[in-house]
Amino acid sequence: MPLPAFPARPFFGWHVVAATFVLATFGWGVGFYGPPVFLYAVALRTGWPVPMVSAAVTVHFLLGAAVVANLPRLYRSFGVPFVTVMGTTHLAIGIAGWALAAEPWQLFVAALASGSGWVTMGAAAVNALIAPWFNLRRPAALGMAYNGASLGGVIFSPLWIALIAGIGFVPASLAIGGVMLAVVGVLSVLVFRHTPKSLGQAPDGAEGALPRPLTAQDESPIRRQFFRDRRFLTLAVGMMLGLFAQIGLLAHLFSLLVPVLGEGLTGFAMGGATLAAILGRSLVGWVMPASADRRLVACASYGVQVIGSLLFIVAAGDGGPWLFLGIALFGLGIGNATSLPPLIAQQEFSPPETARVVPLIVAIGQAGYAFAPAAFGLLRAGGGAGAAGPTPLFVCAAAIQVAAIGCLLAGRGVNPSCPDRR
């Protein structure tokens, strides 16, 4: 008598997408969109110079670059759930340190903790969690997961302001840190500990499409010296330049807008920018054809941000329509700056190569843009008090974004015979 057939377990990959969406919401909301608010709150509370507090933001991002470069190794050594929970713990401790710092050295110690933790919830972590579950539908899956990053800005930018004004920086940091740690701990146990192999499933939920084992032909590219590969170099530098302009401007945009819009409206304006980021990333994730040249898509996204940066100059410190249009256009590209480079890597490199390329470009990008808050802080200190106002910041951001476009274009057409081996 034949055994009864049991229905196959539903594809678990979409559960991973949903959990990673929540992870990214906390990661970016606290570790990415938090520092611009922290910069303003710490400078206001202590009276410390903006360039010095900006340097702490630089330390936050710079240490994260060192951690993210070793993220695959940490995953192999300790497992995804443990690394994710420990990173979240570091981030929670770090933001409490930002609130409690009474001396500059304490602020920098806090930045070390927060910077080392948030990258376990950042771009490379999201890609590492999604990639095993999706090949053909990876652009849509990554777009959905990365939208959590933008939602983090929508929620946390005004939330930080409201909580700090209402209950104080220390209680706000403890409350948000505690909730974040509890939620991520549950997700790590229930979702992130699973892999396609542990559940007997295949990428995209395809029946019988078990992952192909690596061959000697696959292993050879893994040993490639990426730093001699023009595709890799132009992708890494293009991503770094685009993020440098973006992070440098975002780190100071909140405190630049407060005198014009006030704290409350500025928080909602920053949230509006991240709503635009969700729209921009969603359009790319769902509309972009599989055969599209993803470098050109990224260039178009940076071009929209260039226009937004220039509209800040047109607004000339006035809270009128040009300012809000600039915020919206600049926001449209925020999400694509982190989600498109991994998709470009997927299109231009083999799967074994991509597994190494993505953490490397994210680490290089973060190592570069880590200096953006301090660099823009110095630029602001040099020009902010003069007649030019914040105009040099906006001009610098636009110029660097144009350079990023040029860098990405320089990598087109290299090794055109390399197929998209998704």
Side-chain angles (χ1 to χ4, degrees):
M1 181 177 177
L3 295 175
F6 292 96
R9 181 172 183 169
F11 180 52
F12 196 72
W14 295 112
H15 295 282
V16 176
V17 171
T20 308
F21 176 95
V22 176
L23 179 76
T25 300
F26 279 102
W28 264 273
V30 177
F32 184 87
Y33 291 103
V37 180
F38 302 162
L39 185 154
Y40 173 76
V42 170
L44 185 65
R45 174 176 62 87
T46 62
W48 294 338
V50 168
M52 190 197 76
V53 184
S54 301
V57 179
T58 287
V59 170
H60 167 88
F61 287 118
L62 187 60
L63 184 63
V67 174
V68 78
N70 293 285
L71 202 54
R73 185 180 305 170
L74 292 172
Y75 284 154
R76 289 193 300 268
S77 299
F78 302 104
V80 172
F82 180 82
V83 171
T84 304
V85 171
M86 288 304 299
T88 306
T89 303
H90 280 200
L91 178 56
I93 293 172
I95 61 172
W98 280 81
L100 290 166
E103 299 290 340
W105 69 266
Q106 296 172 349
L107 181 64
F108 284 91
V109 171
L112 292 175
S114 60
S116 65
W118 97 272
V119 291
T120 64
M121 309 162 74
V126 169
N127 184 79
L129 289 165
I130 295 295
W133 294 94
F134 294 92
N135 283 331
L136 293 176
R137 287 183 284 180
R138 191 181 301 175
L142 276 177
M144 293 173 65
Y146 279 127
N147 274 339
S150 298
L151 183 64
V154 173
I155 294 174
F156 283 93
S157 290
L159 181 61
W160 277 117
I161 294 300
L163 288 179
I164 291 173
I167 63 176
F169 198 174
V170 174
S173 66
L174 294 176
I176 290 179
V179 172
M180 174 178 66
L181 187 55
V183 171
V184 172
V186 171
L187 292 178
S188 296
V189 173
L190 297 181
V191 180
F192 298 143
R193 67 185 179 91
H194 295 297
T195 64
K197 182 178 180 181
S198 71
L199 297 180
Q201 297 187 345
D204 298 301
E207 294 183 5
L210 295 176
R212 175 178 59 84
L214 297 181
T215 65
Q217 186 178 5
D218 291 323
E219 292 291 346
S220 178
I222 295 179
R223 294 190 293 267
R224 184 198 308 272
Q225 295 296 319
F226 288 118
F227 292 95
R228 299 178 183 176
D229 189 321
R230 198 169 94 190
R231 293 173 302 164
F232 174 83
L233 289 174
T234 54
L235 177 57
V237 177
M239 181 182 185
M240 184 270 290
L241 288 173
L243 287 172
F244 188 97
Q246 183 170 287
I247 304 306
L249 193 53
L250 281 175
H252 295 274
L253 189 59
F254 182 87
S255 55
L256 288 172
L257 291 178
V258 166
V260 179
L261 302 177
E263 289 186 3
L265 188 55
T266 296
F268 284 105
M270 298 292 286
T274 52
L275 276 176
I278 293 176
L279 176 61
R281 185 189 283 118
S282 297
L283 286 173
V284 169
W286 291 104
V287 176
M288 181 179 66
S291 60
D293 187 330
R294 296 173 185 176
R295 285 181 180 258
L296 290 181
V297 176
C299 289
S301 179
Y302 282 138
V304 172
Q305 284 195 310
V306 169
I307 298 172
S309 299
L310 296 177
L311 283 178
F312 288 134
I313 301 174
V314 175
D318 178 61
W322 291 118
L323 178 62
F324 289 101
L325 181 59
I327 292 171
L329 292 178
F330 186 80
L332 282 172
I334 290 175
N336 292 325
T338 53
S339 61
L340 275 173
L343 294 177
I344 295 172
Q346 182 198 12
Q347 188 176 59
E348 297 184 349
F349 297 91
S350 70
E353 291 176 307
T354 302
R356 290 193 60 193
V357 166
V358 172
L360 282 174
I361 62 174
V362 172
I364 292 170
Q366 188 158 331
Y369 78 64
F371 294 96
F376 275 64
L378 292 174
L379 187 63
R380 180 178 174 183
T391 296
L393 274 70
F394 304 134
V395 172
C396 182
I400 296 173
Q401 286 160 333
V402 170
I405 293 172
C407 197
L408 289 175
L409 291 176
R412 294 184 67 229
V414 181
N415 297 334
S417 61
C418 178
D420 180 359
R421 288 170 280 187
R422 293 173 294 165

